[in-house]
Amino acid sequence: MTDKELRRLTRTDLLELLIIERKEIDRLLEEQDRITRDLDTVSAKLEAISRELTDTQKLLRNKFLLKDRSADEI
C-alpha cells in the first residue's frame, strides 16, 4: 500500500488494519511459544540420550578393560 493510498483510508479502515495486524502478531507469538516448547522438549530428549550414551560408553569401556585383564591373566 502506497503512502497516498494509506492517507486516503478512513479511521475505521485504519482501525481494521490495526486489528488485522494485532491478530497476526498474536498468531505469530503463539507459534513462537509452540516452537520454543517443541525445542525445549527436543533439547531435553537430546540431553537424556547424551546421558545414556555416556553411561553406555562407560559400561563398554569397563567391559573391554575386564576382557583385556582376563586375557592378560590367561
Side-chain angles (χ1 to χ4, degrees), residues 42-59:
V42 168
S43 179
K45 287 179 182 179
L46 287 173
E47 286 178 25
I49 290 169
S50 176
R51 284 191 300 272
E52 288 180 28
L53 285 172
T54 301
D55 292 344
T56 302
Q57 182 182 21
K58 289 176 185 176
L59 288 172

Side-chain angles (χ1 to χ4, degrees), residues 3 5 13 18 33 35 48-49 51 55 57 64 66 69:
D3 286 341
E5 292 171 328
D13 294 334
L18 282 173
D33 288 343
I35 290 170
I49 290 169
R51 284 191 300 272
D55 292 344
Q57 182 182 21
F64 286 121
L66 290 173
R69 285 183 189 163

Side-chain angles (χ1 to χ4, degrees), residues 18-74:
L18 282 173
I19 291 169
I20 290 168
E21 290 302 314
R22 185 67 234 183
K23 286 180 181 178
E24 180 66 8
I25 289 169
D26 291 343
R27 185 190 68 76
L28 290 171
L29 288 171
E30 287 175 11
E31 185 175 355
Q32 180 186 20
D33 288 343
R34 182 189 56 78
I35 290 170
T36 301
R37 284 191 309 272
D38 290 348
L39 284 173
D40 289 343
T41 300
V42 168
S43 179
K45 287 179 182 179
L46 287 173
E47 286 178 25
I49 290 169
S50 176
R51 284 191 300 272
E52 288 180 28
L53 285 172
T54 301
D55 292 344
T56 302
Q57 182 182 21
K58 289 176 185 176
L59 288 172
L60 287 172
R61 188 179 314 123
N62 289 338
K63 181 178 179 180
F64 286 121
L65 286 173
L66 290 173
K67 189 174 184 179
D68 286 343
R69 285 183 189 163
S70 65
D72 289 343
E73 292 175 2
I74 295 177

